[in-house]
């Protein structure tokens, strides 16, 4: 099936437009892509129906919540069962299976450190087949996948899209209330839901739905347009763990996030205090990245590199081995 789906330039331009403004009206998408609105909508529907592209919606961490990477070591025969259990949990946003032993890394969101401790100590570590769990609480997200772009649109089109909608709430600190949780849950399943449809689903007035949707999108929700791995031209996914003096971390993060292959840069609590991940065209590109970092960020020491062998879940979406979306478990915060 992978070989039967070929994305042309129009498809890629539509995906880039949706990355910039995932809820932009079709008239605007069509104008910056260079097609009529009906064609833009039809092309996007074809991409989503095949699982080749999709929009993920998930809550942004606030001051009280804890985002953590959970490094789970397991027995080889238990890996599939453990992964199947992880992807079913709504607070587990993403799951990757890495090279280097039976290593499974989950990215999960908790209401606080007590909820994180209960999950790790009472659930994960007691599962049959789990041999070790290392917790990496995130202290700062410098950039993440919602800001990664294909780069197929002209700068003028990108500016037009940016000026048409709200900026994503990355790094902002707003409390997550129950009404906003309900909106995010709907967005997780239907990211382009209309105000009228939202009002009907939540059984509230249209004016209330419009207000709640606006608040959720401007303060607490990240929207991310994704493309299946085979269609990106960057099939190699790698997670790097590194250590760097605290005072140098922000400068290194600026260098990393300026590179087109980098999708995640985050500082974590621990001796290896910087995680970054990228999508690469070929394995030799890893050495080129590290050589550049050695010159431009000499205090950064790369400690480990893990090639991603499988991503069964990405920001709430369940994926097949080719990286297509085949289902969704809307992301929520574990209490």
């Amino acid at each position: 099936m992978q070989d039967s789906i070929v994305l042309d330039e129009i498809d890629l331009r539509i995906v880039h437009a949706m990355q910039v403004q995932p809820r932009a009206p079709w008239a605007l998408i069509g104008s910056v892509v260079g097609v009529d609105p009906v064609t833009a909508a039809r092309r996007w529907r074809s991409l989503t129906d095949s699982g080749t592209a999709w929009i993920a919606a998930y809550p942004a961490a606030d001051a009280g919540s804890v985002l953590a990477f959970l490094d789970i070591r397991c027995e080889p025969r238990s890996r599939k069962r453990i992964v199947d259990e992880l992807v079913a949990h709504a607070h587990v946003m993403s799951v990757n299976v890495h090279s280097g032993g039976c290593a499974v890394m989950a990215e999960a969101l908790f209401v606080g450190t007590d909820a994180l401790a209960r999950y790790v100590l009472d659930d994960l570590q007691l599962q049959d087949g789990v041999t070790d769990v290392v917790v990496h609480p995130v202290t700062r997200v410098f950039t993440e996948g919602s800001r990664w772009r294909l780069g197929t649109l002209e700068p003028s089109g990108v500016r037009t899209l940016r000026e048409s909608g709200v900026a994503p709430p990355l790094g902002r600190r707003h409390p997550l209330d129950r009404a906003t949780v309900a909106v995010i849950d709907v967005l997780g399943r239907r990211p382009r839901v209309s105000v009228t449809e939202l009002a009907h689903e939540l059984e509230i007035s249209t004016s209330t739905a419009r207000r709640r949707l606006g608040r959720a999108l401007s303060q607490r929700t990240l929207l991310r347009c994704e493309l299946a791995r085979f269609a990106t031209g960057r099939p190699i996914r790698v997670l790097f763990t590194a250590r760097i003096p605290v005072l140098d971390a922000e400068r290194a993060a600026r260098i990393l996030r300026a590179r087109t292959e980098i999708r995640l840069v985050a500082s974590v609590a621990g001796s290896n205090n910087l995680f970054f991940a990228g999508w690469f065209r070929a394995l030799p590109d890893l050495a080129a990245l590290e050589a550049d970092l050695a010159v431009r960020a000499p205090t950064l020491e790369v400690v480990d590199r893990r090639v991603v062998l499988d991503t069964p879940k990405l920001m709430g979406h369940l994926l097949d081995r080719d990286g297509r979306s085949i289902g969704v478990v809307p992301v929520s915060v574990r209490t």
Side-chain angles (χ1 to χ4, degrees):
M1 184 176 180
Q2 171 179 329
D3 295 336
S4 67
I5 299 176
V6 179
L7 275 66
D8 62 17
E9 187 66 19
I10 296 298
D11 292 323
L12 296 175
R13 287 169 65 84
I14 290 172
V15 171
H16 187 176
M18 298 293 276
Q19 287 176 332
V20 180
Q21 283 295 349
R23 288 178 53 85
W26 292 119
L28 178 58
I29 295 289
S31 70
V32 299
V33 170
V35 297
D36 63 80
V38 174
T39 299
R42 176 176 53 79
R43 292 273 196 134
W44 176 251
R45 189 179 308 112
S46 177
L47 291 171
T48 56
D49 286 349
S50 65
T52 305
W54 64 93
I55 299 169
Y58 49 99
D62 63 23
S65 59
V66 175
L67 179 66
F69 294 106
L70 308 176
D71 199 359
I72 305 160
R73 297 278 171 166
C74 57
E75 297 171 355
R77 293 181 180 179
S78 303
R79 178 189 54 77
K80 185 179 185 306
R81 173 179 53 79
I82 292 167
V83 167
D84 287 346
E85 291 185 13
L86 286 170
V87 300
H89 295 161
H91 70 285
V92 175
M93 306 169 79
S94 299
V95 178
N96 286 301
V97 180
H98 295 139
S99 61
C102 282
V104 177
M105 181 165 282
E107 181 180 356
L109 190 59
F110 303 87
V111 75
T113 54
D114 287 346
L116 167 63
R118 286 194 300 271
Y119 181 65
V120 172
L121 300 177
D122 300 339
D123 292 349
L124 279 183
Q125 289 187 341
L126 298 182
Q127 285 193 33
D128 290 338
V130 172
T131 59
D132 191 23
V133 179
V134 180
V135 181
H136 306 278
V138 174
T139 57
R140 181 177 178 184
V141 176
F142 293 98
T143 193
E144 52 98 67
S146 67
R147 298 200 170 187
W148 186 80
R149 304 289 183 257
L150 272 176
T152 50
L153 284 177
E154 296 80 8
S156 59
V158 173
R159 283 196 301 272
T160 298
L161 287 163
R162 283 177 177 167
E163 292 168 359
S164 72
V166 297
L170 186 63
R172 298 182 184 177
R173 303 294 187 179
H174 295 278
L176 185 60
D177 58 88
R178 186 171 300 178
T180 305
V181 169
V183 174
I184 295 174
D185 183 67
V186 175
L187 288 169
R189 291 178 281 108
R190 302 169 63 193
R192 287 179 60 88
V193 66
S194 70
V195 170
T196 302
E197 292 167 336
L198 180 65
H200 177 74
E201 182 153 346
L202 297 183
E203 298 182 339
I204 55 180
S205 68
T206 303
S207 60
T208 300
R210 182 177 292 105
R211 185 174 64 254
R212 291 183 183 179
L213 179 62
R215 183 168 66 242
L217 291 173
S218 64
Q219 298 181 355
R220 282 310 319 267
T221 312
L222 291 172
L223 298 177
R224 178 192 294 196
C225 177
E226 291 286 6
L227 190 61
R229 180 178 64 253
F230 76 86
T232 63
R234 298 176 178 272
I236 310 298
R237 314 290 168 94
V238 182
L239 170 71
F240 298 84
T241 59
R243 62 171 61 102
I244 189 170
V246 173
L247 295 179
D248 296 340
E250 186 157 1
R251 180 175 181 275
R254 285 199 302 270
I255 294 170
L256 282 164
R257 67 189 180 196
R259 298 187 62 105
T260 57
E261 66 267 56
I262 296 299
R263 295 206 3 138
L264 168 73
V265 183
S267 58
V268 300
S271 55
N272 300 333
N273 60 336
L274 193 70
F275 281 20
F276 57 98
W279 292 4
F280 299 85
R281 300 186 187 280
L283 284 171
D285 295 342
L286 279 64
L289 169 64
E290 292 195 40
D292 181 57
L293 291 174
V295 173
R296 302 179 63 198
T299 60
L300 184 148
E301 177 189 357
V302 175
V303 177
D304 192 18
R305 311 145 190 86
R306 296 186 190 175
V307 175
V308 178
L309 303 178
D310 188 23
T311 302
K313 189 177 189 181
L314 180 62
M315 291 300 161
H317 279 253
L318 308 179
L319 310 185
D320 66 13
R321 284 292 177 85
D322 288 327
R324 294 183 183 86
S325 175
I326 55 175
V328 61
V329 179
V331 175
S332 65
V333 184
R334 186 176 178 108
T335 58

